[in-house]
Amino acid sequence: MQKNPFGKLETPVSRLGFGAMGLGGVFGQYGEKELIRSVLNCLEQGVNFIDTARNYGESERILGLALREWTGEKPFIASKIQSRGPGNLGWGQPIPIETAYPKGWLRESTEISLKLLGVETIDVMQLHQYWPQWDRVDYWMEELLQLKQEGKIRGIGISLPDQRHDLGLSLVQSGKIDSVQTVFHLFDPLPLDCLVPFCAENQVAVIARCILDEGGLTGFLQEDTPFEEGDFRKSYFDYLPRSIYIERVNRLKEAFIPRYADSLAELAIRFVLQHPGVTTAISSMHVMKYADENIAAAGKPPLPEDVFEDIRRHYRWVRNFYETKYWA
């Protein structure tokens, strides 16, 4: 597995990372032993970057159990501080920093994560959401810097709340953070326009998430695809008629599969990994069959540059439907 240095921390991390949201049951229910084995399977194949969060249900606890079984080199662990804000973390619109992360909560949440994960240090701790308005106050950054000084975290990161990739530009340039996590996939290549170059200039690692668009870019979605109760995708894919999404996916298949990739998922992964400014790209790999396919895709050579640019320029379809009830 190819590795990149993680920004200023310089620790080599695998270009494909294990996104641990699926360990919390949001993509369907799986047995605990099966989930632990899925983590170990990826570690055995050279995936050494794992991204989790306090807000991912049982994810940190299950990951901690897997780490206790793992006898190899310690992987790079990224987690996120759970917001104390209302509802679904306040996605879609800003909430006050005092509501999202009141004084003392960043330390309390970090201590819970350390205990659940069974580690002494978390490599990078991220705010699960970040709004630039929060830069008007200092206490939250001071708390994170104190945790870093105490050795409880090694680095500080932010996770952008949605597809507005420019929200983090000012903080990236401040020199205070080590990483930015953002949505980036075939339909949404906009991070390449500003965010990724800004991060490269400032030695800030880029963590690409939703690289398969919650699985839509695997081609699995059909008009009658069922979802279990509690599965996040039940609402994600029904903000607009499924036929619209399926038609967009079919365009990609017709243009590029199998000429340039064996599957749509492979095309999507290779597209996201094409740019050297993307430090690591995380995918939900709690299902071993799909994890093995993703890892194999990450080992394929880069796409031809003209194909990459064709997708970037002509197939973008940026959507931001958090908390949307209607489509037009």
Side-chain angles (χ1 to χ4, degrees), residues 67 77 119 161 215 227 316:
L67 293 176
I77 304 297
V119 298
F227 294 107
R316 63 177 60 183

Side-chain angles (χ1 to χ4, degrees), residues 204-225:
V204 173
V206 174
I207 305 169
R209 76 171 187 268
C210 303
I211 63 172
L212 297 176
D213 197 18
E214 309 300 356
L217 286 171
T218 67
F220 88 101
L221 187 69
Q222 303 297 320
E223 290 282 2
D224 58 350
T225 300

Side-chain angles (χ1 to χ4, degrees), residues 15 184 192 196-197 271-279 308 312:
R15 293 214 70 200
F184 179 29
L192 296 177
V196 170
F271 177 82
V272 170
L273 295 180
Q274 184 95 0
H275 196 288
V278 175
T279 309
F308 173 77
R312 176 180 176 181

Side-chain angles (χ1 to χ4, degrees), residues 44-212:
E44 289 164 359
Q45 297 188 68
V47 174
N48 77 335
F49 181 90
I50 303 176
D51 178 82
T52 183
R54 286 284 304 113
N55 198 57
Y56 293 167
E58 294 287 287
S59 178
E60 287 184 325
R61 184 186 67 82
I62 292 172
L63 178 55
L65 295 175
L67 293 176
R68 289 174 179 84
E69 290 191 22
W70 175 243
T71 58
E73 185 177 347
K74 177 184 175 295
F76 188 105
I77 304 297
S79 192
K80 307 181 194 75
I81 295 171
Q82 183 178 22
S83 169
R84 292 293 296 270
N88 186 23
L89 293 173
W91 296 124
Q93 59 185 11
I95 58 176
I97 181 65
E98 295 83 1
T99 301
Y101 302 108
K103 290 184 178 181
W105 175 243
L106 291 95
R107 174 177 293 276
E108 184 176 346
S109 182
T110 299
E111 296 282 5
I112 295 170
S113 293
L114 288 166
K115 183 177 180 180
L116 289 171
L117 291 166
V119 298
E120 295 182 358
T121 303
I122 293 170
D123 292 291
V124 65
M125 181 56 85
Q126 307 157 90
L127 296 187
H128 205 143
Q129 59 172 333
Y130 164 80
W131 296 95
Q133 297 92 320
W134 296 351
D135 293 347
R136 296 169 185 163
V137 296
D138 297 326
Y139 76 84
W140 62 272
M141 180 59 74
E142 291 172 356
E143 286 188 27
L144 290 172
L145 290 171
Q146 182 62 35
L147 289 167
K148 188 174 180 178
Q149 185 174 341
E150 294 172 12
K152 294 185 176 181
I153 63 176
R154 290 181 57 221
I156 297 169
I158 59 171
S159 184
L160 301 181
D162 53 30
Q163 286 82 351
R164 285 169 281 187
H165 310 288
D166 57 341
L167 292 177
L169 294 182
S170 61
L171 195 56
V172 165
Q173 295 178 90
S174 74
K176 295 178 180 179
I177 62 171
D178 300 286
S179 67
V180 172
Q181 183 170 147
T182 192
V183 173
F184 179 29
H185 51 70
L186 277 173
F187 286 145
D188 188 356
L190 298 188
L192 296 177
D193 294 345
C194 291
L195 181 62
V196 170
F198 270 59
C199 287
E201 291 172 7
N202 291 275
Q203 272 192 289
V204 173
V206 174
I207 305 169
R209 76 171 187 268
C210 303
I211 63 172
L212 297 176

